[in-house]
Amino acid sequence: MDNSSFIGYVGERDFHDGSVVAVEQVGDLVRVRVRGASGKIFVAEFGGVQAIRSSKPEGMTLYALSEMRAQPPQRRFVFANWDEKGEASLEIDAERFRDSDDHVA
C-alpha cells in the first residue's frame, strides 16, 4: 500500500478482523456485508459508485477497510486482505460511504 495515498481507516472497529460475507451491487449502490470479529453483521454501503475491482472477495478475512486518495468527487475504499499472499481483493471507488450504524462519511 502506498502510504502517500492513505487517508485513514473507516468503519467500525469490530469490522476490522472480520470477514466479507457478501457483495451486492444495484446500479451505482454497493453493499458489502461483513461479519465482525465478534460475529456481528455490518453493512458498508457505498453510493455513487464509479468502479469496483474485486477478486473472490466473499470469505476474505479483513485486516482493515482503508480510504485512499482518489480523483474528487470519488473516494477509494480498499478492503485489505489479512492474508497478504491471498487472491481475494475488493476496492470500491464511490462518492459516499455509510456504515451499518448509519454514519455517513
Side-chain angles (χ1 to χ4, degrees):
M1 177 180 340
D2 178 3
N3 288 334
S4 65
S5 64
F6 177 75
I7 294 174
Y9 297 113
V10 295
E12 293 285 330
R13 175 172 285 183
D14 187 37
F15 185 96
H16 304 275
D17 297 334
S19 61
V20 175
V21 175
V23 179
E24 304 158 348
Q25 183 173 12
V26 178
D28 72 347
L29 180 69
V30 172
R31 288 188 185 96
V32 180
R33 295 187 193 284
V34 173
R35 183 178 313 280
S38 70
K40 179 179 176 182
I41 297 292
F42 295 91
V43 178
E45 186 175 278
F46 301 89
V49 173
Q50 292 296 312
I52 183 169
R53 291 170 297 287
S54 68
S55 175
K56 305 175 189 173
E58 286 86 0
M60 175 174 58
T61 300
L62 299 175
Y63 174 73
L65 172 55
S66 302
E67 183 174 354
M68 310 298 281
R69 295 198 196 293
Q71 187 67 36
Q74 292 297 301
R75 299 164 65 189
R76 177 161 295 148
F77 298 93
V78 177
F79 290 76
N81 190 339
W82 186 262
D83 179 1
E84 293 178 3
K85 296 179 182 176
E87 293 179 25
S89 65
L90 179 59
E91 294 185 14
I92 299 172
D93 292 349
E95 293 178 9
R96 296 174 306 282
F97 166 78
R98 178 186 310 254
D99 68 19
S100 59
D101 288 331
D102 220 23
H103 297 116
V104 177

